[in-house]
Amino acid sequence: MSTHELFATRASRMKASEIRELLKLLDQPGIISFAGGIPDPALFPTEGFSAAFQAALGPDQKAQALQYSVSEGYVPLREWLIDHMRSIGVECRLENILITSGSQQALDYLGKLYLSPGDTALVGWPTYLGALAAFNAYEPRFDRLSINGNRGAAEHAASAGEGAVKFAYLSPDFANPTGETVDLRGREALLDLADALNCAVIEDGAYQALRYDGDAIPPVLALELARKGSIEDCRTIYCGSFSKTLSPGLRVGWVVAAKPVISQLVLMKQAADLHSATINQMAIDQVARACFDTHIPMLRRVYGARRDAMLQALQDHMPDGVQWTRPEGGMFVWLTLPVGTHGADLLARALDTVKVAFVPGGAFFPDGSGTNTIRLSFSNSDEDMISEGIRRLGEVLRA
């Protein structure tokens, strides 16, 4: 028997990330890439991190920075997060917060915590590819999250002999991949749905801070807190990340939830990696305290201008029949191409003829549909590059 025949059945559901593979294109000369949803490294608070790591390795902190630590996370950072979550309407305590190695680890843990083989996860159609990858390993059934239309999902699953509906997953602000935002009414309807189905809500807040226009909408967890009065009575689990605001390379994210949820996630953390890197948490804590409130407005100005440049370029250069979203924040614009246009084929032509990269949309659909869609990211290109790249892409589509 060969080694691969010994793998668990879940291994067959694990697939390479199209986005991770596309990131390799960034090393090719001359490529204009709208592929990876990554921050511009020129905007990282480099000086702040340099000072923070020097302090962490100084005589007063080096023993703690280089030593094992508690699985729940660095206490000063969690204390900062208490204030941060309060600023967006979520009252919580230290025991309601777990530090994770990026919010991606949080999604993996939550899939492990909630999903037995055959259980149902409600997700967007399309939805974040990393969430599908994280949940897929636990062998769920994916169903379309329809905020006003899933009330029969539990009965349908039961009658079909399928597992229970365990959670609804969404990124309500400037979602990856579409850039769309769930309005206040939709968020309230989602809470009604979760109560009707007796399922959890996983709220992915990765882009929540990156709003460029329009009025801020309270997180789903904040709305549920207003209804129920205590986070201990809430079914919503908030996943946050510093990857889109301060640094993705340090891999620091967090989860905010009721204590029983956090306690179970801590057990998983202890079994998986013991704790996230202490020195990285210490650096994030120092930088967040020093400049988060001034750094975020700068990101909003820069990324907002890039979003505007992409929307204008699409207006100027896309042929008839192409439609796109108009996000109020985040990093993405979602294009729907004329029926019969295949995003993967378009990518091959665009790379070969005009050296423009993007992500074909089919990867974001659990059933592989949506082949006539593509995702464009504007965060890591300046306005001139965006305009030129969209002009080239328009040429390919016209041809």
Side-chain angles (χ1 to χ4, degrees):
M1 178 178 292
S2 60
T3 302
H4 74 272
E5 292 178 302
L6 302 174
F7 293 166
T9 56
R10 72 179 68 91
S12 65
R13 300 172 65 104
M14 300 177 185
K15 300 177 181 179
S17 165
E18 290 194 26
I19 298 173
R20 295 290 104 192
E21 295 299 314
L22 282 170
L23 285 177
K24 299 173 184 177
L25 296 170
L26 298 179
D27 294 331
Q28 297 184 18
I31 293 286
I32 296 178
S33 179
F34 303 132
I38 59 178
D40 185 343
L43 304 180
F44 295 157
T46 308
E47 293 183 3
F49 277 118
S50 178
F53 277 105
Q54 288 182 27
L57 292 173
D60 296 332
Q61 299 188 63
K62 62 181 180 181
Q64 183 180 15
L66 300 177
Q67 184 59 277
Y68 286 115
S69 186
V70 297
S71 298
E72 289 83 350
Y74 183 55
V75 170
L77 177 57
R78 290 158 65 209
E79 290 173 339
W80 183 89
L81 284 167
I82 290 173
D83 292 335
H84 172 71
M85 294 304 298
R86 182 181 297 116
S87 74
I88 58 174
V90 176
E91 288 286 346
C92 60
R93 301 167 64 89
L94 202 66
E95 56 266 32
N96 299 120
I97 300 175
L98 168 69
I99 303 298
T100 57
S101 297
S103 61
Q104 186 66 29
Q105 184 180 64
L107 297 179
D108 176 58
Y109 286 178
L110 290 167
K112 182 184 294 186
L113 179 62
Y114 282 99
L115 295 171
S116 298
D119 282 343
T120 297
L122 300 178
V123 299
W125 229 262
T127 195
Y128 171 45
L129 177 58
L132 292 178
F135 303 149
N136 207 31
Y138 304 105
E139 304 176 71
R141 170 183 172 271
F142 291 112
D143 198 357
R144 187 189 302 257
L145 174 60
S146 176
I147 289 174
N148 293 306
N150 279 116
R151 291 186 183 276
E155 292 80 3
H156 170 78
S159 64
E162 295 163 346
V165 178
K166 290 298 186 66
F167 60 72
Y169 165 81
L170 80 165
S171 183
D173 295 292
F174 334 120
N176 181 0
T178 65
E180 295 177 328
T181 295
V182 179
D183 64 15
L184 180 61
R185 181 178 297 180
R187 297 178 196 217
E188 295 282 9
L190 173 65
L191 290 172
D192 293 338
L193 174 67
D195 285 339
L197 297 180
N198 191 30
C199 71
V201 175
I202 299 176
E203 179 177 16
D204 190 338
Y207 303 94
Q208 189 270 334
L210 299 179
R211 172 174 286 278
Y212 313 134
D213 50 41
D215 295 329
I217 306 173
V220 176
L221 179 53
L223 295 173
E224 188 174 16
L225 264 167
R227 291 183 176 196
K228 297 180 177 176
S230 168
I231 194 170
E232 303 306 331
D233 297 322
C234 291
R235 61 175 73 246
T236 302
I237 302 152
Y238 183 96
C239 301
S241 175
F242 291 103
S243 293
K244 304 302 186 292
T245 53
L246 296 182
S247 165
L250 297 187
R251 310 307 302 130
V252 179
W254 71 93
V255 180
V256 178
K259 284 188 288 187
V261 175
I262 295 297
S263 295
Q264 288 298 125
L265 296 178
V266 169
L267 295 178
M268 293 180 180
K269 185 83 173 159
Q270 291 171 350
D273 65 358
L274 302 184
H275 62 87
S276 297
T278 309
I279 192 170
N280 290 359
Q281 295 182 66
M282 294 172 73
I284 286 283
D285 175 62
Q286 180 167 322
V287 172
R289 292 176 186 276
C291 72
F292 192 86
D293 290 340
T294 56
H295 186 69
I296 298 304
M298 181 275 292
L299 293 181
R300 290 171 177 163
R301 289 192 299 272
V302 174
Y303 290 149
R306 293 176 181 181
R307 177 213 52 183
D308 293 344
M310 179 166 282
L311 292 177
Q312 185 61 54
L314 289 168
Q315 185 68 41
D316 293 341
H317 300 297
M318 283 297 110
D320 292 341
V322 179
Q323 299 177 325
W324 55 89
T325 58
R326 292 168 173 79
E328 295 180 332
M331 294 182 170
F332 308 107
V333 177
W334 181 251
L335 270 64
T336 302
L337 309 174
V339 174
T341 305
H342 199 290
D345 294 340
L346 178 65
L347 174 62
R349 293 200 303 273
L351 284 170
D352 183 54
T353 60
V354 296
K355 292 188 178 297
V356 173
F358 52 83
V359 182
F364 298 95
F365 291 82
D367 61 355
S369 61
T371 56
N372 67 320
T373 58
I374 64 175
R375 191 197 74 178
L376 304 178
S377 174
F378 51 80
S379 57
N380 198 30
S381 303
D382 63 30
E383 289 93 321
D384 290 340
M385 188 178 295
I386 289 170
S387 297
E388 175 61 17
I390 297 300
R391 184 194 66 78
R392 294 183 192 179
L393 185 57
E395 285 183 357
V396 177
L397 276 166
R398 292 178 188 282

